[in-house]
Amino acid sequence: SSRIANLAYWGLSKSLINSQKNIDLITTRLLVMIFAREQLKETVGIVFGSNRSPYNPFDLLDQQFNDDEILDKIEISEILSNGGNFTEANIIKKWGMLHDKYQNELSNPPACIKSAKSNQEKIFDYLNDKILIKQDLDFE
């Protein structure tokens, strides 16, 4: 469910504010991103898609690509920021796919990380406002 995916991502992100280097929390958040990709893409679409048209098929195709790319680059940033020291098989497999897909961007890790962290903050701010401030748990 979209609600579970968003609550898990938000809760883990909130926990990481005080424990930025907790590899268990980082690993779990990465796994949520990997296994709840479709549900999180809906949230990314809301956060970054305010100027996209549901009536323009090209905008929708572009949106799908951008939402995937935003999540991919956040995953890359998480892995790079933590020295790639992950032992979880699903993360190792995903890193291989991301590494192949984004070789050009990986030539400048600091820029990739900075951009991803900014996007991560926007997603967190949206979820924090929706969940904590507005107490709105409807993600369907």
Side-chain angles (χ1 to χ4, degrees):
S1 146
S2 192
R3 178 179 298 157
I4 293 168
N6 282 289
L7 285 171
Y9 182 85
W10 170 76
L12 290 161
S13 297
K14 194 146 181 69
S15 297
L16 278 162
I17 291 171
N18 297 321
S19 306
Q20 292 180 358
K21 293 296 177 189
N22 184 320
I23 199 72
D24 293 328
L25 290 174
I26 294 164
T27 298
T28 305
R29 183 167 67 177
L30 273 167
L31 291 172
V32 167
M33 292 180 72
I34 292 168
F35 291 114
R37 169 63 67 122
E38 290 307 309
Q39 292 86 350
L40 293 175
K41 271 174 49 176
E42 292 172 18
T43 300
V44 169
I46 292 167
V47 174
F48 295 95
S50 56
N51 58 356
R52 295 178 185 146
S53 167
Y55 306 107
N56 182 337
F58 296 107
D59 272 3
L60 291 178
L61 288 173
D62 188 45
Q63 172 180 349
Q64 186 174 12
F65 173 74
N66 286 338
D67 297 346
D68 264 327
E69 187 174 311
I70 286 168
L71 288 170
D72 284 348
K73 290 184 176 177
I74 289 172
E75 290 169 355
I76 288 170
S77 170
E78 289 286 277
I79 294 167
L80 289 175
S81 296
N82 294 286
N85 297 329
F86 293 92
T87 57
E88 214 293 329
N90 291 295
I91 294 174
I92 294 168
K93 179 181 173 189
K94 184 69 184 249
W95 172 243
M97 293 167 37
L98 293 170
H99 191 272
D100 291 346
K101 186 175 178 181
Y102 295 100
Q103 282 181 349
N104 293 342
E105 286 90 335
L106 289 170
S107 63
N108 186 356
C112 185
I113 291 170
K114 183 178 180 185
S115 166
K117 293 282 185 204
S118 172
N119 288 340
Q120 209 169 22
E121 286 175 19
K122 289 174 186 164
I123 295 166
F124 176 78
D125 288 346
Y126 166 79
L127 289 173
N128 203 50
D129 181 61
K130 183 173 177 66
I131 295 166
L132 199 63
I133 309 301
K134 296 177 181 166
Q135 297 182 351
D136 178 3
L137 300 180
D138 185 15
F139 288 97
E140 307 305 327

